């Protein structure tokens, strides 16, 4: 069961690892259209999670997954329990867990959750997980580049096992792949894809911005411009100094991409194509997140960029999915009566 499913990054990876989905919830209509178009068999519940009654689910839920958007809890000088987190999206995920009692759940989030509200948000999440009857595996920040993803994305992963099972099994984190993929692997036929990236729609730069970006070399950024162009491009920020290595940034074919955002050409997080002077196209975006080429995104091109930029990279999700399948197999072997004398 997948919550906050978006355009399906986490869900496809789980499917590729062999898991079957019984329900996906998402409130964005374009993301839902994407899920339904690509997987007509999936049970996509469109709407606010707060309105979903999980007690109606008849199937046994082995695994619940989802990336709840991170929000602050409001404290009144006391530590919070499950009921006190009401009104947040974490509460809704916790409620889904309470109502379906999955054997295991996986929650993904941004690294910043570790330090959000001086660590109090994560502490509250941990104590609610305990209150729900789950044992949390020590959370880890996984780097996508170690899981066949040509992108420097990081995600915080929480895995928890129902307490009646937790003492008998152990979760094994996925092992890193032997090679780091680069943008070249994303765009050209090779180990990741059988063909070069297909042509697709994409944003364009305004004329003057394109003229300026022409001067940035692969892997370079605004500091590689002449002083005049730096002043023109940076405006007031020119005088602020500092790194700002995301500004006027052009990606390099020989490195993994920087983390994609929900829009391909924002001033602070520019990711210009390595060779052509334009923002990345939709299918290039999708490949950097390791979506299959035949996974279509519904809605406008901006809706597509958003679904892709929000996703858990498919290959990282698949690696996690394999770890979850292994864990479920271990749980199932405990439940089988032993046969023979061996
Ligand atoms: C970070 S994205 C999830 C991406 C997804 N895990 C993937 O791998 O593609 C978070 C999603 O939560 C959805 N969302 C936010 N609030 C919601 C709510 N109240 N009910 C249902 N979905 C919600 C957003 O529309 C967004 O698509």
């Amino acid at each position: 069961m997948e919550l906050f499913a978006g355009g399906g990054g986490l869900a496809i990876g789980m499917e590729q690892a062999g898991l079957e989905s019984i329900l996906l919830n998402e409130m964005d209509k374009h993301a839902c259209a994407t899920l339904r178009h690509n997987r007509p068999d999936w049970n996509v519940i469109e709407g606010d999670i707060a309105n979903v009654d999980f007690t109606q689910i008849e199937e046994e839920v082995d695994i619940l997954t989802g990336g709840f958007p991170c929000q602050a809890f409001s404290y009144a000088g006391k530590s919070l329990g499950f009921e006190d987190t009401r009104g947040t999206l974490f509460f809704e995920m916790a409620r889904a867990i309470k109502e379906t009692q999955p054997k295991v759940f996986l929650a993904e989030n941004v690294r910043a959750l570790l330090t959000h509200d001086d660590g109090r948000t994560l502490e509250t999440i941990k104590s609610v997980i305990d209150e729900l009857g789950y044992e949390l595996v020590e959370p880890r920040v996984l780097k996508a580049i170690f899981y066949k993803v040509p992108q420097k994305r990081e995600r915080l992963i929480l895995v928890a096992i129902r307490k009646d099972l937790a003492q008998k099994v152990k979760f094994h984190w996925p092992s890193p792949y032997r090679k780091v993929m680069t943008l070249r692997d994303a765009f050209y036929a090779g180990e990741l894809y059988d063909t070069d990236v297909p042509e697709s729609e994409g944003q364009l730069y305004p004329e003057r911005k394109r003229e300026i970006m022409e001067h940035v070399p692969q892997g370079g950024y605004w500091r590689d411009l002449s002083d005049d162009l730096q002043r023109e491009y940076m405006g007031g920020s020119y005088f602020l100094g500092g790194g700002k290595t995301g500004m006027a940034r052009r990606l390099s074919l020989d490195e993994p991409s920087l983390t994609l955002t929900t829009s391909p050409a924002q001033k602070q997080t520019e990711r210009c194509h390595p060779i052509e002077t334009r923002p990345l196209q939709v299918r290039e975006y999708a490949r950097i997140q390791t979506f299959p080429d035949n996974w279509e995104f519904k809605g406008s091109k901006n809706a597509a960029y958003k679904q892709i930029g929000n996703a858990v990279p498919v290959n990282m999700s698949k690696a996690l999915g394999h770890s979850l399948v292994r864990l479920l197999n271990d749980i199932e072997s405990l439940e089988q009566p032993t046969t023979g004398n061996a």
Side-chain angles (χ1 to χ4, degrees):
M1 191 164 99
E2 161 82 346
L3 307 178
F4 309 105
L10 192 58
I12 310 171
M14 293 293 150
E15 177 187 67
Q16 290 181 352
L19 292 162
E20 199 181 312
S21 125
I22 53 177
L23 180 154
L24 301 96
N25 172 239
E26 167 58 50
M27 85 178 176
D28 179 80
K29 69 170 192 260
H30 302 303
C32 288
T34 295
L35 298 170
R36 292 191 181 113
H37 173 81
N38 291 283
R39 291 291 182 273
D41 298 347
W42 280 358
N43 175 20
V44 178
I45 309 280
E46 181 171 340
D48 189 333
I49 186 172
N51 300 326
V52 182
D53 178 0
F54 296 97
T55 61
Q56 299 301 310
I57 295 167
E58 284 165 6
E59 294 100 323
E60 192 183 347
V61 180
D62 286 331
I63 299 183
L64 184 148
T65 55
F68 59 92
C70 172
Q71 292 164 304
F73 301 119
S74 39
Y75 302 85
K78 55 170 182 145
S79 58
L80 303 183
F82 167 70
E83 284 296 337
D84 307 306
T85 62
R86 201 173 270 281
T88 64
L89 292 166
F90 168 71
F91 171 82
E92 296 302 336
M93 183 158 178
R95 180 178 62 82
I97 292 163
K98 194 177 169 138
E99 291 176 358
T100 59
Q101 295 288 307
K103 293 177 178 142
V104 182
F105 73 83
L106 178 146
E108 59 89 14
N109 221 291
V110 290
R111 171 194 263 278
L113 177 63
L114 285 174
T115 49
H116 190 259
D117 197 8
D118 292 329
R120 288 204 300 174
T121 305
L122 187 59
E123 279 315 306
T124 301
I125 288 171
K126 284 181 173 174
S127 71
V128 171
I129 289 173
D130 180 60
E131 183 186 333
L132 291 177
Y134 285 79
E135 190 139 328
L136 183 66
V137 177
E138 188 57 33
R140 276 201 193 176
V141 174
L142 295 193
K143 288 180 193 289
I145 50 165
F146 294 137
Y147 305 98
K148 289 182 95 170
V149 177
Q151 187 191 172
K152 296 179 177 166
R153 200 183 191 84
E154 295 181 332
R155 297 306 279 185
L156 174 69
I157 308 293
L158 310 182
V159 174
I161 308 172
R162 214 170 60 204
K163 280 184 186 163
D164 57 312
L165 306 166
Q167 296 311 314
K168 303 172 197 153
V169 288
K170 182 171 170 9
F171 178 73
H172 300 272
W173 291 95
S175 350
Y177 189 63
R178 58 185 162 78
K179 187 181 150 201
V180 170
M181 300 290 163
T182 65
L183 209 55
R184 196 181 298 282
D185 297 297
F187 289 179
Y188 300 104
E191 193 173 342
L192 275 187
Y193 290 93
D194 293 338
T195 58
D196 292 354
V197 64
E199 186 70 28
S200 60
E201 58 178 355
Q203 285 184 6
L204 291 174
Y205 292 139
E207 189 51 26
R208 183 61 186 149
K209 178 165 176 184
R210 197 187 62 73
E211 283 167 9
I212 294 176
M213 289 302 298
E214 286 283 354
H215 298 275
V216 178
Q218 263 194 63
Y221 64 113
W222 65 278
R223 290 256 190 224
D224 295 295
L225 297 168
S226 68
D227 193 57
D228 280 356
L229 288 182
Q230 284 185 24
R231 285 169 190 267
E232 180 183 341
Y233 189 83
M234 303 289 287
S237 315
Y238 175 84
F239 299 101
L240 296 175
K244 298 191 202 63
T245 56
M247 286 185 88
R249 181 71 175 238
R250 187 191 286 277
L251 299 173
S252 163
L253 275 180
D254 296 315
E255 286 173 37
S257 167
L258 300 185
T259 303
L260 299 184
T261 66
T262 52
S263 166
Q266 296 179 92
K267 199 153 190 183
Q268 304 289 338
T269 52
E270 193 65 59
R271 279 100 177 85
C272 179
H273 187 279
I275 300 165
E276 296 171 35
T277 300
R278 57 164 176 79
L280 299 172
Q281 294 176 344
V282 167
R283 290 306 342 163
E284 291 165 343
Y285 232 58
R287 277 202 173 186
I288 291 171
Q289 288 276 56
T290 56
F291 277 93
D293 285 341
N294 61 6
W295 186 267
E296 289 178 36
F297 297 93
K298 292 290 166 187
S300 64
K301 64 174 179 272
N302 288 347
Y305 282 125
K306 184 172 162 201
Q307 291 165 52
I308 300 168
N310 263 334
V312 179
V314 174
N315 283 356
M316 185 164 109
S317 162
K318 182 180 174 183
L320 281 165
H322 282 305
S323 291
L324 292 173
V325 168
R326 179 175 173 185
L327 183 66
L328 271 191
N329 285 340
D330 290 349
I331 290 174
E332 233 160 66
S333 65
L334 289 172
E335 290 168 346
Q336 307 278 327
T338 44
T339 51
N341 304 320

